[in-house]
Amino acid sequence: MKLTAAILTNRMVYQKLFMSRFMYREVKVRQLLILWVFFIFTGPALAGDNYKPQSNISLLRSLDAGYMIIGTTHTNEVNDLQLVDIENLFYELNPSLILLEGGFWPDSTSQSAAVECCGEMGFIQFLAKKNNVKVSTWEGDSLSEAQFILDKFDSESVKIFYLLRQAPQLFNHANLAEATEKMKSLLGESGFPAQEYQILSKPHSIEQLNSMLSAMVGKTISWNEFTTADIFDAQLNTVEFSKFQAIKDRVNEFRDLNAVTKLKTALANKERVIFIGGQLHFVPVMNAIIKP
């Protein structure tokens, strides 16, 4: 099978590796070279044959095999250059199926509303609906995900992980009092993650959450310090939060396994597929697809 591939690497990582800004490249070589996020793959097409993205998306494509794998930096900016690239790539492949991240997103009445609501996932779903293209998610179901994680970790730690990951969303357009009321509703046995993941263990109150979290990480800390996703990710990179980072890695392992299975199934069914997800998922999905 003849394949052409174009890979755009994450701008910051590429700068660290090569000490300069990257440029989009699509070239012909005889063997696969993988250097973390910089890839070149065999193919007969010249660079001018295909659309060249202008943003920092990651891209693996084979028009012959009928797929594009796109890695994005999540955005809700309507003027983000990634959206221009996604639209051009969409019309280049003319897909029959979109596999997107995050489950099933609400439909929007306009392109800008789609982006403001649901980012690049909402945008490509808007394009798909406009062009009568099927849309599905590459995510697995919540209960299977929870079981996959609980095979390795205790339920209290897993529940706290999900609550902390959810915390930044609670602060979205909300003050501390409003966010606290939302968190209280999640801590009961009928709230998230009890409802979605069927995790019914402690904590069941704000006091229990803060007490258990502080005991787990060995320092006094409150859930309401996690006001943004960046703060959450930064804490996970510390030694104290290494267990929660391991839980996150397990979550992503489950998600990537589902992503690869759904993409391969779609290709086996002769779909022309655009697979789109955050940069984190690009490399494992790409590696699974190009493996001999």
Side-chain angles (χ1 to χ4, degrees):
M1 179 184 297
K2 293 182 178 180
L3 298 177
T4 58
I7 305 302
L8 273 166
T9 59
N10 177 276
R11 189 167 291 161
M12 292 180 65
V13 176
Y14 190 93
Q15 287 175 320
K16 291 177 182 177
L17 290 173
F18 295 91
M19 304 302 291
S20 65
R21 285 185 178 269
F22 73 91
M23 295 180 64
Y24 175 87
R25 307 205 315 175
E26 184 163 25
V27 297
K28 296 188 293 182
V29 293
R30 290 190 177 276
Q31 69 183 65
L32 173 67
L33 170 65
I34 301 181
L35 178 58
W36 177 224
V37 290
F38 181 71
F39 306 89
I40 304 169
F41 194 57
T42 59
L46 299 175
D49 289 347
N50 299 319
Y51 172 75
K52 300 180 185 65
Q54 304 300 306
S55 69
N56 64 336
I57 65 170
S58 297
L59 171 66
L60 175 72
R61 66 177 150 197
S62 172
L63 301 183
D64 289 342
Y67 67 77
M68 288 181 176
I69 301 171
I70 300 174
T72 67
T73 300
H74 295 314
T75 182
N76 292 96
E77 298 295 328
V78 295
N79 295 319
D80 196 311
L81 195 55
Q82 292 181 107
L83 305 180
V84 177
D85 288 340
I86 289 168
E87 183 168 13
N88 279 290
L89 291 167
F90 178 94
Y91 288 114
E92 179 180 61
L93 182 65
N94 290 318
S96 62
L97 174 66
I98 305 295
L99 290 175
L100 46 69
E101 182 177 0
F104 295 92
W105 299 89
D107 291 328
S108 300
T109 56
S110 70
Q111 180 173 306
S112 59
V115 177
E116 290 169 356
C117 159
C118 312
E120 72 278 16
M121 302 302 154
F123 173 71
I124 198 167
Q125 178 172 290
F126 178 82
L127 284 179
K129 300 284 186 177
K130 178 180 174 182
N131 291 276
N132 296 312
V133 175
K134 292 176 291 187
V135 177
S136 189
T137 179
W138 51 259
E139 304 276 2
D141 69 273
S142 298
L143 290 180
S144 296
E145 177 183 310
Q147 187 57 60
F148 187 81
I149 300 161
L150 291 169
D151 283 346
K152 298 269 187 184
F153 299 97
D154 63 278
S155 60
E156 290 83 4
S157 297
V158 173
K159 184 174 183 180
I160 290 175
F161 167 82
Y162 279 127
L163 292 168
L164 295 182
R165 190 180 69 173
Q166 191 79 0
Q169 297 181 41
L170 305 185
F171 282 96
N172 189 27
H173 303 298
N175 59 34
L176 177 58
E178 292 168 334
T180 300
E181 288 305 309
K182 293 176 183 178
M183 179 57 79
K184 286 180 180 178
S185 70
L186 299 186
L187 283 161
E189 293 188 2
S190 62
F192 171 94
Q195 185 180 65
E196 184 171 349
Y197 295 96
Q198 294 298 297
I199 300 175
L200 305 177
S201 59
K202 293 180 179 181
H204 294 305
S205 68
I206 294 288
E207 293 73 22
Q208 282 183 351
L209 173 58
N210 288 336
S211 176
M212 292 172 68
L213 173 60
S214 297
M216 288 176 181
V217 301
K219 64 179 181 181
T220 302
I221 192 168
S222 172
W223 74 273
N224 60 31
E225 296 178 33
F226 296 82
T227 54
T228 70
D230 287 343
I231 292 174
F232 175 73
D233 290 337
Q235 284 283 19
L236 261 58
N237 286 326
T238 64
V239 173
E240 295 88 348
F241 278 77
S242 58
K243 184 175 185 179
F244 292 102
Q245 179 61 57
I247 293 173
K248 180 182 178 181
D249 292 341
R250 183 73 172 168
V251 170
N252 286 327
E253 181 184 355
F254 173 84
R255 297 178 70 200
D256 291 339
L257 289 170
N258 276 277
V260 170
T261 297
K262 291 189 177 183
L263 177 54
K264 286 186 173 181
T265 298
L267 292 174
N269 291 333
K270 306 302 181 185
E271 301 279 9
R272 293 182 64 79
V273 187
I274 289 181
F275 175 99
I276 185 167
Q279 294 280 8
L280 179 68
H281 304 285
F282 176 78
V283 172
V285 173
M286 184 206 71
N287 284 341
I289 294 301
I290 64 179
K291 240 192 270 186

